[in-house]
Amino acid sequence: MILQKLLAKSPKLETRLELLELATGLMLFGFLQFHMFAVSSIILGVDAFNRDSARMDEYYLSYIGIPLIILALIVHGLVALRKAPWKIQEMRVFVQHSRRLAHLDTWAWGVQILTALIILVLAATHIWSVLVTWPIEAATSAARIQGGYFSNFVLLIVAAEIHAMVGLYRILVKWSWIHRKKFTNYLVYATIGMVGLGFLTLLVFYFRSIPKGLS
Amino acid sequence: MADRLLTFSIFRYNPITPEIPPRMQEYQLEETMGMSLFIALNRLREELDPSLMFDFVCRAAICGSCAMLINGRPGLACKTLTQDMPDRITVMPLPVFKLVGDLSVDTGVWFRHLNVRTEAWIHTDKVFNPEAIEERMDNPTAQAIYDAERCIECGCCIGACATANMRADFMGAAFLNRIARFMIDPRDERPMAQYFDVVGTDEGVFGCIGLMACDDLCPMEIPLQGQLAFVRRKMAQMALKCARCK
Amino acid sequence: MNWSDAHISDVLVIGAGLAGERVAIEAAMNGHSVTILSLVPPRRSHSTAAQGGMQAALGNVAQGYGDNPDIHFEDTVKGSDWGCDQEVARIFCEQAPVAVRQLSQWGVPWSRVVPGKRTLPDGTDIEDLQEKAGLIAQRQFGGTAKWRTCFAADGTGHVLQYAMDSVVVKLGVTVHDRCEAISLIHDGETCFGAVTMDLRTGEIRPYLAKATVIATGGYGRIYGTSTNAVINEGTGMAIAQDTGVVPLGNMEAVQFHPTGIVPANILVTEGCRGDGGYLLDKNLHRFMPDYEPVKQEIASRDVVSRWMLHHIRQGFGVDSPYGPHLWLDIRHLGPEHICTDLREVHTICQNFLGIDCVEALIPVRPTQHYSMGGVRTNKNGDVYGLKSLFAAGEAACWDLHGFNRLGGNSLAETIVAGMVVGERVAEFAKEQSLVFPFSLVQDAMAAQAQRLADLRSRKNGTEDAFVLRHRMEDTLLNNVGIFRTAEALQEAVTTLQGLYEQAQNVRLRSSGLGPNPELLAALHLPGMLRLALCISYGALQRTESRGSHYREDYPRRDDDNWLKRTLAYWKPGAPMPDLQYEPVNITELPPGSRGYGEMPIDKGE
Ligand SMILES: Cc1cc2nc3c(=O)[nH]c(=O)nc-3n(C[C@H](O)[C@H](O)[C@H](O)COP(=O)(O)OP(=O)(O)OC[C@H]3O[C@@H](n4cnc5c(N)ncnc54)[C@H](O)[C@@H]3O)c2cc1C
Ligand code: HEM
Ligand code: HEM
Ligand code: SF4
Ligand code: F3S
Ligand code: FES
C-alpha cells in the first residue's frame, strides 16, 4: 500500500482540486444570491421580473451564464463531494462523533452534505423545468409554482441558502483569519434575510394570478 | 458548596481480558471542594476499583497526558473541575488513538510517527560552533514560534476532529500547527516545496474541512484556525506558482 | 528466557527527560545504537513542567552585563552551601552557555533581547543596549548575582524537551515508551542492562546494553504533596540502590520551593519573584525585606522557604481549610507582563484556583520540589560501585547542587550533564564489547517474574498498597520537612521501618493482570520506602544545618564535622540503609558566608 500511495500522491493535483472547490463554491455563492434577488423582482411587479429576464437575454447573459452555472454545479458537486462520508462506516462514525461532541460547526458540515444532496435533486429538476419552458417569464414561473412546485421551492430555498451560507463560512475559516465567533452572527442574519426574501417571492408567485403574455 | 453525590460513568475495557466486552461502569463519589477529575479518578481507583487505568503525569495541564472524552468532549481531565460539571459525568477514552485500557490511550506512538512523517525538526546545514555566540533573532519572531510550539500533544484536537475520526491518515490540526511553526522559523532551511510534498495533500492540510472543533477544544488555546489557514494559503501559493513555472 | 526476548543495544538510557535524551543524542551522534526507555512518551516527561528557565552566563541583558562562568560558579557554590563538588560546578558553568546556544540551533525559541530603557518594579532604571539586540534574553532568579536565567516565555522546560526530542526523532533513536525498568541486571561489579515491564501488556523483558544510564528524574511523589509529576516516584534511584553496591548521595538534601499554590501544590515559577513579585502575609505586609534586607524575595530557595514557614509559625499565615499559607503578589507587574512572560502562571491560577492573578493574590506555601540527592556518580557520570552504569539529571548526585539547588540550575544541569556523561558513555561503549552472561540475565528475569507472580497470585499478606503509601507520605511531610528535629526524625525512621516491613506483605485487591495500577503501586512501594528511610535517617544523622537541610536543634553549619557527603547503601535484605561519608571536593572556593540566610532561626523565637 505504501508504494501505491506514494506513487499516486500528487500534492499539486490535490491542491488544485481544493482551489477548484474554493472557486466554484464562491462562484455558486455569488450566483445564488444574485439569482435570489433577480427572481425576487417579482415583488416589484410582473413587469420588473419580465424586464430583468428579457435584459439578461438581450445581453446574452443567460446564454453564457446558464451553461457556466450548470458546469460550475457539476464541477463543484464532484470536487466537493470527494470529502463526503461515502462509506456507511464513515457516515456512522461522523454521526456518532457529532452526537457526542455536540459541536455546532461539526454538525453544520453534516447539514452541508445533506443539503447538497437535496440541492442536487431539486436544482436539477428545477433547472430542467425552467429550460424546457424557455424563455423565462413571470407567467410560466407562476404557473409552475402554483402547479405543484411550491413545496419543492420551499425546500430548495432553505437548503440552498443554508448550504451556501455555511459554505461561505467554511471558506472564510479555512482560508482567512476572520474572527469566526463574531462572523457567525452576520451569517445567521444573512441566511434569515435571504430565506425570508425567497419566501416572500414565492408567496407573491403563488397568490398572484398572472395572465400569460402580459409585458 | 452543597455536598453533591457525583455519578461517574466510566468506559471500561482491558485488552488483556478480551473476554470481558467493553462496557460503561458506574461509580459514585462525594464531591469535595476544588475537586478535579484528577482527584476524583484517583480516589475512585484507590477506594473503589484499583484496576482502573488512566494517565496523569503533571496534573497541572502542562504535559498533555490526561486528555479524555469528558461528557463527550475531549479535554484535559486534570484541569476539569467537578464544580463546573453536572451530577452525572461520563468519561471515555480519547478516540482515534489506540486503546491501552479503560481511559488510557497510546498518544505517544501516534505523535512520534507523525513527527517522523512531517520531519518535525530543524533542517539546517549549519554546523554548530561551540565557540561562537548565538545567532540573533528578533523577539517577535521568537514569540510567534513559541506560540505555535505551546502545543502539548494532548490529542484533543485529533479526538475532536471528525475527519481524523473518519480517516486514519489525516495528520490533524496538531501537525498542521507544527508545520506552521517550522515554516516561520528562520533557522529551518527547508524550501517550501519540501513542505508542499508533506502537507499539500488530502492527508495534510486539504484533508481539513474546517470543522473547527480543534480550535474550540484545544486546551492550550492555540489559534489553530489561523495556523491552519496560514498553511493552506502557503500551499495554495505553491501550487499556483508551480503552474506558472511549468 | 530466550535471547530473542532480549532487546540489545549499545547504550540503554532509562529515562527520556532532558538528561536522558541529551545523553542518548550524544551517544547516537557517536554512532552507537541507543535505546531510550520511559514511563511515558518523552514529551510528557516532567522536564516539560519547568517554566522558569535555565542558567547560563551569557551576560546578554542589562542586569547581567559582565557575567561570566566564574560568577556563576560562585553563585552555585554559595547556593549549595559549600556542599557541591567544585570540580563539577566548574565544568558545568563553563559548558552551560554552549548548551544554551546549541539548543538555540536545535530550535528552542528563546526569548530575545529587545533593546531599550525600562523601569523595574523596584524603581531601578535599566537599559538594554542595541548591540545586544536579538541575543538570548535572561531574567533574574533567586540566589544569583547577575540576571542569568535564559527562558522561552513561560514554558522553558516544554520547549527544551520538544527541541531535544525533535533531535532524538531526527537521529532515529529507538524510544520505548510505557516501558519501566524494574531492576538492573548486574553481577555486583558490572551492569548489563535492566529488566523492564511493558506498561501496555504487563509483560517483562530484558534490555541489554554495553552501557546503561539512569536518568529517571526525581522522587517528589514520596512526599505526596509535591510540585512533581505523579510519575516521579524515584524508581530509578531505588533500583540502583537495590543492587546493594550503588550508593545514593546526600538524600537528606530535599528542596522545598517557596511558591507551590494552595491547595493544588502546583508550582508557580520563581520567575514571579525574579520579575519583581512580592510575598505578603495575612496583613498584606511584605515580610521578606525584614528577614533578608539585601536579597529579599530572591534569596535562595532554602532561605526563602524557611523564612516563609518561620513567618507562618509566628502567626502571620493566612488561614484556610488547607492550613495556613501566604500570598504571592504579582499584580504590580501589569497585565501585559503577566500575560506574556508569566502566562503559564496566569493560566494555572485560572484553572486551578479560579482566580485572575492580574487582580488577585495567589495563595502559596513552600512545597517539596527537588531532590539534590540521587545516584552518586563521579564527575564523568560513572556510578559508584558498578561498572557500565552511569547516571545524569535529577536522578543523579553528580553533585552540582550540594545542599541547595539554585533555580534554573537544574534544567542547565540536565543538559550539561547530558553532554558530559553522554560523551563519557559514547567513549566507554566504543571500548566495550557486547557480552552478556546468560545465566545472570535469566536469574534476573526469574527473580522479577517471581515478584510479579507473588503479587498477582494474592497469596501473601493483608496490607493495602495505597494505604501504606499514604502513611509514608504523611510521615515524610510531617516529620522530614523544612524544619527538622531529632525527635521528629527518629519518629519518622521508626514509622517508616514499620511500613517497610508491612510493604513486604501487600495483598492486591484487584487481579493485577496486565499493566494494573495497583500492581505497579505495590511494586514501587518498597523502593519508595527505602528512599524515604535514606532521607530520614540521613537527616537524623546529620547534626548540622546546611542548605535545605535545617536542623532546629543544630541551627548552624558545621564545616569541621560535616563538610562531607552522605552515601547511603542498602545491603541486600537489610532493614535500614548503611550510611557512609566522603569528603566534599573543594578546589577553588573555601567555605565561607553565603551572604544571605545567615541568621539562624532560633527555636521558639
Ligand atoms: C514544577 C517544576 C518546575 C521546575 N522549574 C524549573 C526551572 O524553572 N528551572 C530549572 O532549572 N529546573 C526546574 N525544575 C527542575 C527540573 O525541571 C528537573 O529537575 C529536571 O527537568 C529533571 O530532568 P530529568 O531529565 O533528570 O528527569 P525527568 O524530566 O523527570 O525525566 C525522567 C524520565 O525518566 C523516566 N523514568 C522514570 N522512572 C523510570 C523507570 N523506572 N523506567 C523507565 N523510565 C523511567 C520518565 O518517564 C521520564 O521520561 C522544575 C521542576 C518542577 C517539578
Ligand atoms: C446553489 C448551489 C450551491 C452553492 C452556492 C454551493 C456553495 C458551496 C460552498 C461555498 C461551499 C464551501 C466550499 C469550501 O469549503 O471550499 C460548498 C461546499 C460543499 N458543497 Fe456546495 N454549493 C452548491 C451546490 C452544491 C451541490 C449541488 C452539491 C452536491 C452535489 C454540493 C456539495 C457540496 C459539498 C459536499 C460541500 C462540502 C465540501 C467540503 O466541506 O469540503 N454543493 N458549497
Ligand atoms: C442556472 C440556471 C437557473 C435558472 C435559469 C433558474 C431560473 C429560475 C427561475 C425562472 C425561477 C422562477 C421560478 C420558476 O420559474 O420556477 C427560479 C426560482 C428559483 N431558483 Fe432558479 N434557476 C437556475 C438555477 C438555480 C439553482 C442552481 C438553484 C439553487 C441551488 C436555484 C434555486 C431557485 C430557487 C430557490 C427559486 C425560488 C426562488 C424564490 O422563490 O425566491 N435556481 N429560478
Ligand atoms: S494543538 Fe492543542 S489540542 Fe492539539 S495536540 Fe496540541 S495542545 Fe492538544
Ligand atoms: S476539527 Fe478537523 S477538519 Fe480541520 S479545522 Fe480542525 S482539523
Ligand atoms: S496530567 Fe498533564 S496535562 Fe493533565
Side-chain angles (χ1 to χ4, degrees):
Chain A
M1 272 317 269
I2 292 176
L3 179 65
Q4 290 92 306
K5 270 201 176 164
L6 214 62
L7 293 176
K9 198 177 78 169
S10 166
K12 209 190 283 178
L13 182 64
E14 285 163 29
T15 313
R16 292 206 185 137
L17 287 182
E18 181 77 10
L19 288 170
L20 211 55
E21 182 180 330
L22 171 69
T24 54
L26 282 176
M27 195 169 140
L28 288 175
F29 180 85
F31 163 75
L32 183 67
Q33 310 317 326
F34 165 79
H35 177 53
M36 293 301 281
F37 281 116
V39 177
S40 74
S41 61
I42 191 72
I43 300 171
L44 300 179
V46 175
D47 286 347
F49 183 87
N50 285 344
R51 201 183 328 115
D52 280 357
S53 134
R55 201 167 291 158
M56 299 245 314
D57 238 356
E58 213 173 294
Y59 296 112
Y60 295 102
L61 253 167
S62 311
Y63 303 107
I64 307 164
I66 295 173
L68 206 65
I69 291 303
I70 296 176
L71 183 69
L73 268 171
I74 296 171
V75 171
H76 172 79
L78 287 176
V79 175
L81 278 174
R82 81 194 193 284
K83 304 271 178 65
W86 287 112
K87 294 186 200 140
I88 293 295
Q89 235 186 28
E90 283 180 348
M91 208 148 77
R92 283 177 57 91
V93 168
F94 180 79
V95 171
Q96 288 175 359
H97 176 82
S98 311
R99 275 225 191 106
R100 259 199 317 263
L101 204 61
H103 178 253
L104 189 63
D105 287 25
T106 303
W107 271 123
W109 188 69
V111 170
Q112 232 186 336
I113 302 290
L114 195 72
T115 49
L117 297 179
I118 296 173
I119 299 169
L120 185 66
V121 175
L122 292 186
T125 42
H126 161 61
I127 296 174
W128 176 255
S129 70
V130 172
L131 292 186
V132 290
T133 59
W134 194 257
I136 296 171
E137 260 176 33
T140 35
S141 297
R144 220 181 344 254
I145 289 169
Q146 288 161 13
Y149 267 87
F150 184 82
S151 50
N152 279 13
F153 273 123
V154 172
L155 193 59
L156 187 57
I157 292 173
V158 175
E161 277 304 336
I162 290 182
H163 182 91
M165 290 295 177
V166 176
L168 180 67
Y169 170 76
R170 218 170 275 298
I171 285 176
L172 289 172
V173 296
K174 285 202 302 191
W175 292 92
S176 80
W177 50 89
I178 56 146
H179 191 297
R180 63 194 175 87
K181 294 273 154 63
K182 278 188 205 146
F183 200 78
T184 308
N185 291 335
Y186 300 136
L187 283 180
V188 170
Y189 300 144
T191 314
I192 294 171
M194 290 307 288
V195 169
L197 180 69
F199 282 176
L200 193 62
T201 311
L202 208 53
L203 290 176
V204 172
F205 267 124
Y206 193 69
F207 287 113
R208 223 180 199 184
S209 60
I210 298 165
K212 212 170 157 53
L214 203 131
S215 71
Chain B
M1 184 197 299
D3 285 354
R4 283 200 300 170
L5 189 66
L6 299 174
T7 305
F8 292 88
S9 175
I10 296 178
F11 177 90
R12 299 301 306 271
Y13 179 69
N14 190 342
I16 301 289
T17 50
E19 63 279 7
I20 308 173
R23 65 202 179 282
M24 298 299 292
Q25 195 165 336
E26 294 205 349
Y27 302 92
Q28 294 193 319
L29 208 60
E30 286 270 338
E31 186 171 32
T32 54
M33 198 164 108
M35 185 187 246
S36 63
L37 278 189
F38 164 70
I39 297 174
L41 287 172
N42 272 291
R43 273 190 52 197
L44 285 180
R45 179 195 275 176
E46 290 180 13
E47 294 165 20
L48 298 172
D49 191 340
S51 66
L52 183 61
M53 281 189 264
F54 49 74
D55 294 321
F56 287 98
V57 176
C58 68
R59 56 94 182 84
I62 308 173
C63 74
S65 302
C66 64
M68 44 187 86
L69 292 185
I70 305 159
N71 284 348
R73 292 191 152 199
L76 297 180
C78 67
K79 75 162 191 181
T80 303
L81 302 180
T82 53
Q83 69 197 39
D84 306 330
M85 310 288 286
D87 294 351
R88 234 190 114 75
I89 303 173
T90 313
V91 198
M92 288 173 54
L94 211 57
V96 183
F97 303 99
K98 191 169 168 228
L99 186 69
V100 174
D102 299 343
L103 301 174
S104 172
V105 291
D106 197 340
T107 45
V109 167
W110 196 94
F111 274 96
R112 162 112 184 190
H113 171 70
L114 267 144
N115 274 312
V116 173
R117 207 170 101 193
T118 56
E119 302 191 9
W121 55 80
I122 297 280
H123 290 55
T124 177
D125 291 333
K126 292 201 183 102
V127 181
F128 177 65
N129 174 7
E131 316 281 280
I133 65 161
E134 65 271 21
E135 256 177 62
R136 288 168 204 260
M137 181 188 278
D138 64 352
N139 200 43
T141 308
Q143 291 283 331
I145 299 171
Y146 178 74
D147 281 343
E149 182 95 339
R150 287 173 60 245
C151 165
I152 54 175
E153 298 194 350
C154 63
C156 286
C157 58
I158 313 294
C161 174
T163 313
N165 275 265
M166 290 189 290
R167 313 219 158 112
D169 46 13
F170 175 50
M171 62 177 61
F175 276 89
L176 296 170
N177 172 59
R178 173 98 8 109
I179 293 282
R181 176 242 176 276
F182 283 103
M183 278 182 184
I184 58 171
D185 194 326
R187 292 166 295 197
D188 196 315
E189 294 162 355
R190 256 182 283 188
M192 208 38 94
Q194 207 171 326
Y195 290 114
F196 188 53
D197 267 351
V198 183
V199 280
T201 65
D202 282 349
E203 281 132 41
V205 72
F206 302 127
C208 162
I209 50 179
L211 298 178
M212 291 297 136
C214 54
D215 190 70
D216 284 327
L217 292 168
C218 171
M220 299 306 284
E221 291 175 8
I222 293 173
L224 290 170
Q225 181 202 336
Q227 296 288 74
L228 264 54
F230 170 76
V231 176
R232 192 181 286 272
R233 291 195 301 271
K234 281 276 184 225
M235 291 303 107
Q237 269 171 22
M238 248 342 261
L240 293 175
K241 245 191 246 160
C242 276
R244 250 180 278 128
C245 61
K246 266 203 189 149
Chain C
M1 195 208 88
N2 291 312
W3 277 126
S4 55
D5 295 340
H7 179 94
I8 301 175
S9 32
D10 293 328
V11 178
L12 175 67
V13 181
I14 307 173
L18 282 171
E21 290 210 318
R22 188 62 187 83
V23 171
I25 288 169
E26 197 67 33
M29 291 207 290
N30 276 283
H32 295 297
S33 83
V34 183
T35 301
I36 307 181
L37 302 182
S38 175
L39 303 176
V40 294
R43 296 181 188 205
R44 312 223 188 284
S45 296
H46 200 49
S47 292
T48 53
Q51 306 156 5
M54 155 170 179
Q55 291 212 37
L58 305 177
N60 284 346
V61 291
Q63 300 288 80
Y65 293 154
D67 196 11
N68 59 40
D70 293 334
I71 306 177
H72 190 182
F73 172 83
E74 200 173 308
D75 285 342
T76 304
V77 175
K78 278 187 190 161
S80 79
D81 222 352
W82 278 270
C84 74
D85 183 320
Q86 296 193 2
E87 221 178 324
V88 166
R90 179 47 79 180
I91 300 174
F92 165 78
C93 296
E94 300 287 347
Q95 286 299 311
V98 179
V100 168
R101 288 170 177 147
Q102 185 172 45
L103 283 159
S104 175
Q105 202 181 35
W106 285 349
V108 170
W110 293 115
S111 291
R112 302 290 174 145
V113 174
V114 182
K117 287 196 175 109
R118 67 200 167 98
T119 310
L120 301 180
D122 67 1
T124 327
D125 288 312
I126 56 170
E127 182 179 4
D128 278 305
L129 300 178
Q130 191 58 44
E131 67 191 66
K132 298 281 189 186
L135 295 177
I136 295 169
Q138 293 170 295
R139 57 158 60 140
Q140 183 175 32
F141 254 34
T144 60
K146 299 274 183 190
W147 288 26
R148 185 186 299 130
T149 308
C150 310
F151 63 102
D154 60 343
T156 314
H158 171 88
V159 294
L160 287 175
Q161 181 83 55
Y162 273 56
M164 196 69 90
D165 194 53
S166 79
V167 179
V168 165
V169 173
K170 173 182 166 190
L171 294 173
V173 174
T174 309
V175 178
H176 288 184
D177 65 2
R178 288 183 189 266
C179 188
E180 173 175 347
I182 56 172
S183 89
L184 294 177
I185 303 170
H186 69 102
D187 59 6
E189 277 169 19
T190 311
C191 177
F192 296 99
V195 177
T196 70
M197 178 162 162
D198 186 328
L199 301 180
R200 291 184 179 82
T201 62
E203 278 154 18
I204 59 171
R205 187 180 181 195
Y207 279 65
L208 306 177
K210 295 183 197 171
T212 305
V213 185
I214 294 184
T216 51
Y219 56 62
R221 280 288 139 186
I222 65 175
Y223 271 82
T225 44
S226 162
T227 63
N228 283 196
V230 295
I231 58 167
N232 284 16
E233 299 185 327
T235 47
M237 297 180 198
I239 60 174
Q241 195 190 29
D242 200 31
T243 58
V245 287
V246 171
L248 302 183
N250 279 348
M251 289 301 278
E252 61 270 33
V254 182
Q255 180 168 78
F256 287 75
H257 195 289
T259 54
I261 62 171
V262 180
N265 302 310
I266 294 168
L267 180 91
V268 293
T269 173
E270 184 149 326
C272 290
R273 281 169 296 129
D275 293 358
Y278 303 142
L279 290 168
L280 307 181
D281 63 17
K282 71 172 179 190
N283 304 323
L284 302 188
H285 169 65
R286 186 179 168 208
F287 59 91
M288 274 311 289
D290 304 345
Y291 298 118
E292 290 292 334
V294 183
K295 285 274 177 184
Q296 304 175 339
E297 274 86 356
I298 48 161
S300 69
R301 288 180 181 172
D302 55 329
V303 175
V304 179
S305 292
R306 222 151 33 229
W307 285 126
M308 285 171 75
L309 207 61
H310 173 73
H311 204 63
I312 290 177
R313 283 180 168 191
Q314 300 293 302
F316 293 110
V318 186
D319 286 321
S320 83
Y322 302 94
H325 62 76
L326 294 161
W327 298 116
L328 174 65
D329 182 5
I330 57 171
R331 297 172 300 184
H332 52 283
L333 302 183
E336 198 194 324
H337 185 88
I338 295 175
C339 294
T340 55
D341 284 356
L342 297 172
R343 176 165 52 182
E344 193 75 41
V345 174
H346 190 247
T347 325
I348 287 174
C349 289
Q350 213 148 38
N351 287 342
F352 298 95
L353 295 170
I355 61 166
D356 178 3
C357 64
V358 171
E359 284 156 12
L361 297 171
I362 311 171
V364 293
R365 82 174 151 225
T367 309
Q368 193 286 340
H369 180 58
Y370 185 83
S371 58
M372 274 72 76
V375 180
R376 178 70 184 130
T377 71
N378 68 12
K379 65 172 196 260
N380 298 320
D382 295 86
V383 168
Y384 281 24
L386 272 187
K387 210 161 81 80
S388 315
L389 185 62
F390 304 83
E394 191 173 341
C397 178
W398 191 31
D399 225 358
L400 170 66
H401 308 303
F403 276 76
N404 174 63
R405 159 177 85 89
L406 293 186
N409 255 3
S410 168
L411 285 181
E413 180 202 5
T414 59
I415 294 158
V416 175
M419 290 158 65
V420 173
V421 179
E423 221 170 289
R424 163 78 185 129
V425 166
E427 197 184 306
F428 177 88
K430 236 170 239 167
E431 294 158 2
Q432 203 75 3
S433 52
L434 268 169
V435 271
F436 306 106
F438 185 79
S439 62
L440 195 73
V441 181
Q442 204 170 23
D443 291 350
M445 283 290 287
Q448 295 310 314
Q450 189 60 47
R451 233 175 116 202
L452 293 176
D454 284 350
L455 281 168
R456 283 181 175 143
S457 67
R458 296 191 269 178
K459 276 201 299 267
N460 48 356
T462 51
E463 305 292 348
D464 184 294
F466 295 121
V467 172
L468 296 185
R469 185 179 161 146
H470 284 307
R471 269 193 234 141
M472 166 187 73
E473 294 170 1
D474 292 344
T475 309
L476 285 177
L477 207 61
N478 297 332
N479 295 8
V480 201
I482 294 178
F483 292 114
R484 300 168 173 183
T485 61
E487 304 88 71
L489 290 170
Q490 184 57 57
E491 191 186 297
V493 170
T494 316
T495 313
L496 291 169
Q497 260 182 305
L499 290 173
Y500 185 55
E501 244 166 65
Q502 285 173 290
Q504 319 297 324
N505 294 316
V506 165
R507 182 194 172 94
L508 302 187
R509 282 181 277 148
S510 59
S511 69
L513 292 179
N516 177 294
E518 193 186 18
L519 176 82
L520 289 167
L523 208 60
H524 297 162
L525 189 61
M528 292 170 83
L529 280 162
R530 281 199 293 273
L531 299 185
L533 272 165
C534 292
I535 296 168
S536 319
Y537 191 50
L540 178 63
Q541 296 301 315
R542 186 175 282 273
T543 49
E544 66 155 351
S545 290
R546 184 184 294 273
S548 66
H549 171 71
Y550 190 85
R551 285 285 297 262
E552 289 182 271
D553 36 6
Y554 298 91
R556 273 164 221 287
R557 200 173 77 201
D558 178 359
D559 289 327
D560 296 337
N561 295 309
W562 286 106
L563 196 55
K564 53 192 184 187
R565 182 178 300 114
T566 314
L567 296 179
Y569 290 86
W570 201 289
K571 297 283 179 262
M576 282 286 282
D578 167 18
L579 299 188
Q580 296 178 19
Y581 295 90
E582 69 173 357
V584 173
N585 189 6
I586 307 263
T587 52
E588 300 179 42
L589 198 65
S593 155
R594 293 170 98 186
Y596 50 82
E598 269 308 284
M599 178 176 57
I601 306 168
D602 290 325
K603 211 174 170 182
E605 182 198 332

